[in-house]
Amino acid sequence: MPSVRHRKAKSPSPLESTSSASDCLIEGSKSDESGEMGTEPVVNEKERKKQAIIVRTIWTLIMLFFFFAIIGMGPFWIISTILLVQVAVFRELISITTTKASERDLRYTSYLNWYFLITTIFYLEGRSFLKYSLTYLIESDYTSEIAIKLAVHHKFICYCLYVMGFVGFVASLKKGYLRYQFTQLSVTHMILLMVILQGHCIVNNILHGMIWFLLPVGLVITNDIFAYICGITFGRTQLISISPKKTVEGFVGAWFCTILMSLLLTYIFCTNAYLICPFTNDLAVNCLSGIQCDPNPIFIHQIYRLPSYLSLLLKKDYIQLKPIYLHAVIISMFASLIAPFGGFFASGLKRALKIKDFGDAIPGHGGVTDRMDCQFLMGSFSYLYYETFISVHRLNIGNLLQTVIINLSGEEIIQLVKSLQSYLYKIGYIDEEVYTQLNKML
């Protein structure tokens, strides 16, 4: 009779017992009716993903609500939000690269980074702010000599501020950490160039008209959504190695859908004066202000002659079309073919730094940078495209007033006023009595 060998069960070590118990508590594993362990960890993984989707959806709706609310509040609040976003992105990016500064007793490194940020924002946005401030100060009963001096010497003041930062950086150099400090200076300037400068372009887009802000933003969001939908539906071929989940099918499908969405969004936006009128003199307007303007010619129907093959197909020789639709298609091409590479760039940077997200400011979405990686590139393109192909460079009161104050002396301004009075009298806009009284006052 063959002998039966009984294998002695190995008793778990105290550490293994504790680990097993902890795993049971964390995963919530339960024995089924047959006495075997169930597959509860899989269920919990599904629950975790479900919870993540719920959180992501809730915060998406919250962000959409605040986005549309700020759009309705007007350009002042939108620009303020853009500035806050720039600061948040700068903070997330710079914090990743300066984590070792405190450990190396380089306390001035962080201060210099923020000093360069403030100086850059003052240079890029300060002049526009002063221009609108001058219009307000002169129309009111109070005139600020400080504001006028800042406007006149703005560039020189900014240069002096930058030189002071440069001197401060050189003075803070510490032997043994020179490589690290010069690397930090380079990283800071790169972030300023890619975030703050391109953010300045977005601010200018808002001043040109709300549509030049909403259309690029909407197209980037559309492309991101349909790239995901088309990717999970048809995706088979990997697009780029640094983003394994991006597929060629999703990229092409998003390109097609973004073009269609550009036509729909343009149709919706171009009929609203609040969205197409530039904000030239007053940033305090909102969606209820009833703003009106002479629209840019691209928002007016124009007649185009069709090519012969289209004439035969449509049985028409001419077609009426607003040029804005053609411009929107071109902008959508950039949003779907080029702007996504801003996201690929961010993915590559995160892989290089071995981090999942740039931050955790937005639950379910990561940091602010994770949501803005494509928007900055899109904003700069939209600004340059507008200035190159669309802008009519109309003279407005704000620009004229700023030019007069900065470049003319008091006597020259009086002579200009007298010349304008004489012109108004000659064209019959003011009568002789008013003209005589105005001359006596001067």
Side-chain angles (χ1 to χ4, degrees):
M1 183 175 181
S3 61
V4 179
R5 295 184 179 180
H6 297 278
R7 179 176 294 177
K8 184 178 180 181
K10 181 181 178 181
S11 59
S13 64
L15 181 59
E16 292 173 342
S17 301
T18 305
S19 177
S20 300
S22 299
D23 291 339
C24 292
L25 290 175
I26 294 174
E27 301 293 343
S29 300
K30 296 180 180 179
S31 301
D32 54 21
E33 293 178 356
S34 61
E36 297 179 354
M37 295 299 294
T39 58
E40 191 66 13
V42 177
V43 176
N44 282 339
E45 180 66 18
K46 292 181 179 179
E47 289 294 330
R48 185 187 65 81
K49 291 183 178 180
K50 180 180 178 181
Q51 185 66 24
I53 292 174
I54 293 174
V55 172
R56 188 182 181 93
T57 302
I58 292 175
W59 277 93
T60 298
L61 296 176
I62 292 174
M63 288 189 293
L64 285 175
F65 172 79
F66 279 102
F67 178 78
F68 288 114
I70 293 172
I71 293 298
M73 292 168 66
F76 174 80
W77 295 103
I78 303 174
I79 293 173
S80 300
T81 303
I82 295 298
L83 292 177
L84 291 176
V85 168
Q86 291 181 75
V87 173
V89 172
F90 180 85
R91 176 181 174 274
E92 289 179 351
L93 293 177
I94 210 68
S95 63
I96 296 173
T97 59
T98 58
T99 51
K100 297 181 181 180
S102 58
E103 300 174 2
R104 301 181 181 185
D105 194 24
L106 301 174
R107 60 182 181 277
Y108 294 110
T109 299
S110 178
Y111 298 149
L112 285 171
N113 290 335
W114 287 99
Y115 177 84
F116 282 123
L117 171 66
I118 295 172
T119 302
T120 304
I121 291 179
F122 178 66
Y123 173 72
L124 294 175
E125 313 299 348
R127 193 172 184 87
S128 298
F129 174 76
L130 291 172
K131 180 184 72 174
Y132 286 97
S133 299
L134 284 177
T135 305
Y136 167 76
L137 291 171
I138 292 177
E139 290 179 352
S140 65
D141 296 330
Y142 174 74
T143 302
S144 174
E145 290 292 334
I146 297 177
I148 294 176
K149 293 296 183 182
L150 287 175
V152 173
H153 305 297
H154 175 257
K155 290 184 178 180
F156 183 77
I157 293 173
C158 292
Y159 176 77
C160 292
L161 291 173
Y162 180 81
V163 169
M164 290 173 59
F166 175 78
V167 172
F169 168 76
V170 175
S172 68
L173 291 175
K174 192 173 182 181
K175 189 176 180 180
Y177 304 103
L178 297 179
R179 185 183 182 90
Y180 174 79
Q181 288 180 290
F182 278 102
T183 301
Q184 287 301 307
L185 182 68
S186 301
V187 169
T188 300
H189 281 71
M190 185 185 73
I191 296 174
L192 293 175
L193 177 64
M194 301 190 68
V195 175
I196 308 304
L197 180 59
Q198 294 190 107
H200 172 67
C201 294
I202 296 177
V203 171
N204 284 331
N205 290 339
I206 297 171
L207 298 178
H208 292 154
M210 201 73 73
I211 188 173
W212 304 112
F213 169 70
L214 289 177
L215 183 61
V217 170
L219 292 179
V220 169
I221 295 174
T222 299
N223 185 77
D224 189 36
I225 293 173
F226 282 99
Y228 175 76
I229 294 175
C230 296
I232 63 175
T233 305
F234 310 107
R236 296 294 184 274
T237 309
Q238 184 178 352
L239 177 65
I240 189 168
S241 60
I242 59 174
S243 295
K245 295 182 180 180
K246 306 296 182 182
T247 63
V248 174
E249 293 80 6
F251 189 79
V252 174
W255 167 64
F256 179 74
C257 294
T258 303
I259 292 177
L260 295 180
M261 183 59 71
S262 70
L263 300 176
L264 177 61
L265 291 178
T266 302
Y267 175 78
I268 297 173
F269 292 157
C270 69
T271 58
N272 192 320
Y274 174 68
L275 299 180
I276 67 174
C277 288
F279 303 102
T280 54
N281 300 317
D282 189 6
L283 296 181
V285 298
N286 55 55
C287 63
L288 302 178
S289 299
I291 183 174
Q292 296 294 329
C293 66
D294 294 328
N296 190 298
I298 65 170
F299 297 108
I300 301 175
H301 281 98
Q302 297 184 20
I303 299 176
Y304 294 92
R305 184 181 181 87
L306 294 175
S308 57
Y309 61 91
L310 286 179
S311 298
L312 295 175
L313 180 63
L314 301 177
K315 297 182 180 180
K316 290 183 179 181
D317 294 328
Y318 300 93
I319 186 174
Q320 280 192 341
L321 182 68
K322 293 180 180 179
I324 180 62
Y325 287 103
L326 302 178
H327 294 295
V329 170
I330 296 174
I331 294 174
S332 70
M333 298 282 283
F334 187 91
S336 55
L337 300 178
I338 306 299
F341 282 85
F344 301 154
F345 176 85
S347 298
L349 180 60
K350 286 188 286 187
R351 286 182 176 273
L353 298 174
K354 298 180 180 179
I355 57 175
K356 181 182 179 181
D357 296 312
F358 287 106
D360 55 0
I362 310 174
H365 291 268
V368 179
T369 310
D370 295 286
R371 299 275 63 82
M372 295 295 297
D373 47 14
C374 299
Q375 295 291 355
F376 287 115
L377 186 61
M378 189 70 216
S380 60
F381 170 80
S382 301
Y383 168 74
L384 293 173
Y385 184 86
Y386 176 88
E387 290 291 340
T388 305
F389 301 106
I390 298 174
S391 176
V392 293
H393 297 288
R394 294 176 178 174
L395 185 65
N396 58 69
I397 295 177
N399 293 332
L400 180 61
L401 189 60
Q402 183 185 19
T403 302
V404 169
I405 291 175
I406 292 177
N407 297 286
L408 300 181
S409 64
E411 294 180 356
E412 291 172 329
I413 293 176
I414 292 177
Q415 183 61 42
L416 175 63
V417 173
K418 288 182 178 180
S419 300
L420 292 175
Q421 291 174 3
S422 177
Y423 172 75
L424 292 175
Y425 172 67
K426 289 178 180 180
I427 65 175
Y429 195 82
I430 58 176
D431 55 29
E432 184 175 358
E433 182 181 356
V434 174
Y435 175 67
T436 304
Q437 291 178 353
L438 291 174
N439 283 330
K440 288 180 179 181
M441 292 174 62
L442 295 175

